Amino acid sequence: DKRTDSMAAVNVHATSVNAHGLSRSELVEWINQMLSLNYAKVENLCTGAAYCQLMDMLWPGCVPMKRVKFDAKNDYQFIENFKILQSSFKKKQVDKVIPVERLVKGRFQDNFEFGQWFKMFFDANYGGGDYNPQERRAGKKVVSHTNPTNAKTTASPGKVPAGVARRAPGAARATKTTTTTTT
């Protein structure tokens, strides 16, 4: 089953009946295996680069791989990758809305839910075939992030570093503050 660039994607919609129920470790293992990566956790998907490459695996050439930033370190670079992904979704008539603003924050739940949907989407559209992920990245260095929104913080996910106030839901966002913790 050779997929061509002119073919539209098979759209999938996650429901409680068809959700894969993939664990976080199974999702990370699948991404690492498919793309020859060493992601440690689901939050690493916040850069958007892996999704771009998975789309390239589904439809080679549908993503301009030279523009994908595998070494993205900042939100604005993550957003650029997700714009590339959105463009490929539009080309393939994928009707899924990508929650970019939530994904680039690097929180587990948002990235886990989108990752699970993407796995279901991938399975519905993958036609097999040879694909060399490292060759397609053209030697670009891949960077993994553990806490992209505050990379210098050593706090665990879900915990607020000392001295940083937690914003109430719906409250206006204050100017961005970066806290550095030294050990």
Side-chain angles (χ1 to χ4, degrees):
D1 176 15
K2 190 77 173 156
R3 304 222 171 243
T4 65
D5 199 37
S6 63
M7 292 178 66
V10 173
N11 283 292
V12 296
H13 303 279
T15 66
S16 58
V17 175
N18 70 3
H20 270 70
L22 220 55
S23 73
R24 67 176 73 194
S25 60
E26 290 169 330
L27 180 61
V28 172
E29 187 180 312
W30 174 73
I31 295 279
N32 286 337
Q33 180 183 9
M34 296 303 286
L35 301 178
S36 299
L37 294 174
N38 283 319
Y39 282 178
K41 49 209 265 182
V42 169
E43 292 88 332
N44 296 143
L45 297 170
C46 73
T47 69
Y51 297 122
C52 288
Q53 188 158 18
L54 288 168
M55 281 297 285
D56 184 66
M57 183 181 259
L58 289 172
W59 294 281
C62 119
V63 171
M65 291 297 290
K66 289 181 192 291
R67 290 183 41 217
V68 177
K69 292 172 176 42
F70 287 94
D71 60 348
K73 295 178 182 140
N74 302 302
D75 292 13
Y76 73 90
Q77 293 171 314
F78 304 165
I79 291 168
E80 288 175 25
N81 284 342
F82 278 109
K83 283 182 180 176
I84 293 168
L85 183 65
Q86 284 174 321
S87 175
S88 71
F89 272 26
K90 188 175 180 180
K91 277 185 206 169
K92 303 315 294 175
Q93 301 169 8
V94 179
D95 61 11
K96 175 75 171 175
V97 174
I98 304 170
V100 177
E101 303 78 30
R102 291 181 13 223
L103 295 173
V104 299
K105 290 179 182 170
R107 289 194 290 249
F108 168 76
Q109 192 61 40
D110 298 320
N111 283 280
F112 186 54
E113 288 173 8
F114 190 74
Q116 285 188 315
W117 172 85
F118 203 97
K119 169 73 164 91
M120 191 168 59
F121 170 78
F122 186 92
D123 289 348
N125 286 283
Y126 189 52
D130 290 337
Y131 185 85
N132 184 330
Q134 292 160 324
E135 188 177 284
R136 293 293 292 156
R137 285 194 293 271
K140 289 184 181 179
K141 183 180 176 195
V142 179
V143 175
S144 298
H145 297 278
T146 54
N147 186 359
T149 55
N150 198 352
K152 294 182 179 161
T153 300
T154 57
S156 0
K159 298 204 181 200
V160 178
V164 177
R166 187 181 291 264
R167 188 167 52 95
R173 179 167 273 177
T175 57
K176 186 173 181 177
T177 305
T178 303
T179 304
T180 305
T181 307
T182 55
T183 50

